[in-house]
Amino acid sequence: MSDRVCLVHYHEIGLKGKNRSTFENQLVSNLNRALRGYPVERISRISGHILVEVEGGEANDELAHAISRVPGVARVSVAYRCGLDEAEYSQAAVRALAEAGDFATFKVHARRSSTAYEKHTLEMNHIVGEVLCAAFPDKKVEMHHPDVTVIVHAVQGNAFVYTDTGPGVGGLPVGTAGKVVSLFSSGFDSPVATWMVGRRGAITVPVHFSGRPMTSDTSEWLAQDLVGALAPSGVVGRLYVVPFGERQREISLAVPQSLRVIMYRRVMFAVSQEIARAEGALALVTGESLGQVASQTLENIAAVDEIATMPVLRPLIGSDKQEIMRRAQEIGTYDISCQDAPDCCTLFMPRKPETHARIREVHEAWESFDHEAMIADLVENVEYLDFDQCPSYKPPRRLRARHRELAPAIEDNDRWRAFVRRTGEQDQD
Ligand code: ATP
Ligand code: MG
């Protein structure tokens, strides 16, 4: 008798010595959350792997695909599970090979994580190999470059038999590398940057600055859809939205036209940093890539970075647009980012933005408006939306209280209600 299960392989977390079980438990908990929509019966750790069992014992490729998106998963196999009995696992090998598609050559690769099983792997290879040769007389055994490898893995009283193993996204389980706040536009770059840091185990908290009320709220919907696309991988805890239009107008009236963008960005950094403090996040993340646009020269990056008192991670700094677009396609954000929406970046844009900002002029401009009051006011009025696919995310008490206390108007805000309603509908899909 055999049933079908998913066998999850990881490698990096196996390297983490004493932290290993923390990492494994986190991955189990993240998988539990990510697979809520599937009839999963149990997710457990077995000797260097994680086992996903489903009701009816029929794990399939769709489940394996959902598993493969979770950070920390290096590979996933849909395997037959049977007893440690040579007739049973040989029969499972025949079934697995029969389902392997077109092939001319094969080999058997037996492994043993359980020393309690007395048969040596060479002996297992031999036993299974003989049965397969009899079952597939027109196929050849090829030891070096076979078309298909049949893996028979003895683990804790069971044999797991499979031929195919699909790649996972790799990285580390979310929740093992702290928390970051990510400056999240509706463009291509920042969702990719957010995902990359999330894949390295960080809980990410995106902050989106919209041009509301000076522009429509379309960019907020796009940001929300983008987070919706990233959320199943468990990397996002909460999305913050900062309506920035009014304040941008004030800045644009107060500072030289060419320095507007740098001022907007300094305010965005300062507000994001306040949110990061309240969240207990230790770094900011942006989607900048060196020289990609006018604001991303080294001078301008330095002029904005000055505001930061925490590390600013720029995972895409050395990436080309083509690479970023390819990644966006892989993680499912490309089509959403293709939609154009005015956000705070398109609002009050200067005709000729400064590309090599001089720091003295930047300081003068910065002092020409009450940036402290503006930053405090923007922080008081942040709006947020929770995504519950990240099991390690804990909302900050401070902002929760502040939100209820100081922004009661949000309850009456039609746009906000629509924002929440739409996500509610999406969650049920
Ligand atoms: P992206 O594709 O992420 O929009 P971009 O190529 O358009 O980036 P910029 O407009 O210079 O480049 O933005 C650089 C970074 O600043 C973005 O990657 C993002 O981290 C942050 N950023 C830009 N606009 C916003 C916004 N509206 N809200 C939050 N962060 C933003
Ligand atoms: Mg952009």
Side-chain angles (χ1 to χ4, degrees):
M1 259 310 280
S2 62
D3 62 355
R4 289 190 134 194
V5 295
C6 279
L7 200 57
V8 180
H9 312 252
Y10 44 83
H11 39 74
E12 281 198 69
I13 63 180
L15 301 175
K16 298 282 172 176
K18 277 192 289 187
N19 291 336
R20 181 176 172 144
S21 67
T22 317
F23 280 59
E24 287 172 333
N25 289 338
Q26 184 72 59
L27 184 53
V28 168
S29 141
N30 294 354
L31 284 167
N32 262 310
R33 187 67 65 97
L35 301 179
R36 269 182 315 185
Y38 295 84
V40 169
E41 209 165 61
R42 189 156 39 140
I43 302 181
S44 49
R45 294 160 59 183
I46 52 154
S47 178
H49 295 79
I50 287 167
L51 182 64
V52 181
E53 297 165 84
V54 294
E55 288 160 19
E58 275 302 319
N60 55 22
D61 289 345
E62 193 193 327
L63 177 71
H65 178 71
I67 292 171
S68 73
R69 294 184 61 182
V70 176
V73 173
R75 287 177 295 118
V76 195
S77 320
V78 180
Y80 284 105
R81 172 177 58 180
C82 53
L84 270 180
D85 170 274
E86 56 189 69
E88 269 190 47
Y89 58 68
S90 299
Q91 272 322 300
V94 171
R95 289 168 72 181
L97 193 55
E99 291 162 5
D102 273 350
F103 71 98
T105 57
F106 72 94
K107 80 168 182 184
V108 180
H109 178 66
R111 296 176 57 197
R112 212 168 45 142
S113 299
S114 150
T115 43
Y117 186 49
E118 75 285 356
K119 281 203 170 40
H120 194 274
T121 50
L122 288 178
E123 203 180 340
M124 290 168 73
N125 281 341
H126 193 75
I127 294 165
V128 177
E130 251 182 15
V131 174
L132 290 178
C133 286
F136 300 89
D138 54 336
K139 309 292 183 190
K140 280 207 178 62
V141 173
E142 156 66 55
M143 295 316 285
H144 297 296
H145 301 288
D147 297 333
V148 184
T149 300
V150 182
I151 292 159
V152 181
H153 192 167
V155 189
Q156 290 178 6
N158 283 122
F160 295 91
V161 182
Y162 54 93
T163 57
D164 194 21
T165 177
V169 294
L172 300 166
V174 176
T176 57
K179 198 192 253 184
V180 297
V181 158
S182 169
L183 282 89
F184 198 88
S185 73
S186 56
F188 289 102
D189 305 336
S190 39
V192 172
T194 303
W195 181 84
M196 286 179 78
V197 177
R199 188 179 65 155
R200 295 305 304 168
I203 299 164
T204 66
V205 180
V207 178
H208 176 70
F209 290 79
S210 81
R212 178 156 56 95
M214 313 306 281
T215 63
S216 76
D217 54 7
T218 316
S219 76
E220 296 171 23
W221 301 114
L222 292 183
Q224 188 197 340
D225 285 351
L226 285 165
V227 174
L230 297 180
S233 61
V235 299
V236 182
R238 170 182 277 194
L239 164 68
Y240 286 96
V241 175
V242 184
F244 191 28
E246 201 72 70
R247 302 287 166 244
Q248 280 183 277
R249 195 175 57 85
E250 283 171 37
I251 295 173
S252 71
L253 293 174
V255 308
Q257 216 190 85
S258 61
L259 293 177
R260 277 181 196 168
V261 176
I262 291 174
M263 295 301 124
Y264 300 157
R265 284 188 177 280
R266 284 170 70 110
V267 173
M268 285 161 67
F269 266 47
V271 171
S272 303
Q273 200 158 248
E274 280 304 311
I275 294 174
R277 285 207 189 90
E279 283 276 354
L282 295 182
L284 299 180
V285 177
T286 77
E288 286 158 308
S289 122
L290 190 61
Q292 194 191 78
V293 290
S295 60
Q296 296 173 18
T297 59
L298 278 178
E299 286 89 339
N300 287 13
I301 287 176
V304 176
D305 238 26
E306 227 194 10
I307 288 300
T309 54
M310 53 179 67
V312 180
L313 310 181
R314 296 183 167 87
L316 305 180
I317 199 71
S319 302
D320 283 346
K321 199 75 185 176
Q322 293 310 316
E323 292 163 357
I324 298 170
M325 305 284 229
R326 216 177 306 127
R327 180 68 84 181
Q329 263 160 343
E330 280 165 24
I331 64 173
T333 55
Y334 181 89
D335 289 339
I336 309 168
S337 294
C338 277
Q339 298 169 53
D340 224 11
D343 68 0
C344 70
C345 289
T346 41
L347 193 60
F348 306 117
M349 277 299 279
R351 269 189 301 278
K352 213 167 159 299
E354 182 57 70
T355 48
H356 301 284
R358 274 189 288 272
I359 210 71
R360 195 175 50 78
E361 288 163 14
V362 169
H363 288 168
E364 266 170 35
W366 186 238
E367 296 309 327
S368 69
F369 63 101
D370 188 352
H371 55 261
E372 276 173 23
M374 182 181 287
I375 291 159
D377 179 69
L378 287 167
V379 173
E380 298 297 343
N381 289 295
V382 294
E383 301 170 6
Y384 62 76
L385 185 63
D386 284 327
F387 288 78
D388 69 349
Q389 285 104 325
C390 178
S392 326
Y393 177 72
K394 307 260 180 313
R397 278 214 195 87
R398 195 178 118 202
L399 272 183
R400 206 163 33 184
R402 173 183 290 191
H403 176 71
R404 268 204 303 269
E405 224 173 80
L406 295 170
I410 285 172
E411 300 289 317
D412 308 324
N413 183 332
D414 284 348
R415 234 187 235 120
W416 177 250
R417 266 210 298 274
F419 191 61
V420 172
R421 206 176 316 122
R422 214 178 103 150
T423 316
E425 281 162 16
Q426 247 184 12
D427 279 349
Q428 285 155 20
D429 283 349

